[in-house]
Amino acid sequence: MKSNRKLSGWVALLSVALAGLAPRVGAQVLSSPMGPGGPVAGQGPGYHSPQSAFPPLVPRPDVVAWSVLSGVSVKFQKPKIITTYSPAVKKLNGSLVKVEGYMTPLEAGTAHRHFLLVSVPPTCPFCVPGGPESMVEVRTLKPVKYTQNAVVLQGRLQVLTDDPQGLYYRMTGARTVK
């Protein structure tokens, strides 16, 4: 239960960011990282700063790319946010997949069984690097030692609809792989 409160905090932060975006875009469909005035927050796989101390992820053919997971369009219809997934994303639902990213722990500790995997390394403990399409909630079989380096996880991917936490993806039964 404690972990769910931590996750709710992260998602609440994200919801506030998206709610702040809603008045600017109204009922506009957001389906790309570029909006009328430039990049739209919360759309796309996240922004990896060239000044980051961590190298960007190198695409791998055996790993689901974040660009695929970003195949989401969002339509704001007050008071709801309507999410539509691309056919490529829908096809992944229930599949055993590999995803590479950076661990974002939901509570203190050196090893974790429940955390977020994000597309770019977090730059501060209060900032999410992108929108919900740039993160996967992960539940592992065994604790995974925290690292600031990228990790590859394999597990069953769930594409979520109307998740109360505001998440788009969850991986269960996950384990680290090379």
Side-chain angles (χ1 to χ4, degrees), residues 108-119:
T110 58
H112 305 275
R113 292 186 62 205
H114 182 214
F115 53 91
L116 295 176
L117 189 70
V118 296
S119 61

Side-chain angles (χ1 to χ4, degrees), residues 71-151:
V72 179
S73 63
V74 178
K75 186 175 184 180
F76 295 92
Q77 291 181 335
K78 291 183 182 180
K80 290 186 170 192
I81 298 174
I82 311 298
T83 306
T84 305
Y85 297 99
S86 71
V89 170
K90 288 179 184 177
K91 189 171 130 180
L92 294 173
N93 189 36
S95 297
L96 189 64
V97 299
K98 292 179 188 175
V99 179
E100 184 176 25
Y102 299 90
M103 290 179 71
T104 301
L106 297 171
E107 47 188 54
T110 58
H112 305 275
R113 292 186 62 205
H114 182 214
F115 53 91
L116 295 176
L117 189 70
V118 296
S119 61
V120 296
T123 55
C124 84
F126 305 106
C127 306
V128 289
E133 67 281 4
S134 68
M135 58 184 76
V136 175
E137 178 188 11
V138 176
R139 300 251 182 204
T140 63
L141 297 170
K142 296 179 182 178
V144 175
K145 185 176 173 150
Y146 175 74
T147 179
Q148 291 182 330
N149 298 320
V151 296

Side-chain angles (χ1 to χ4, degrees), residues 147-168:
T147 179
Q148 291 182 330
N149 298 320
V151 296
V152 179
L153 299 171
Q154 181 174 346
R156 187 93 31 212
L157 186 71
Q158 298 169 327
V159 177
L160 307 173
T161 55
D162 289 330
D163 182 69
Q165 306 298 324
L167 295 169
Y168 294 168

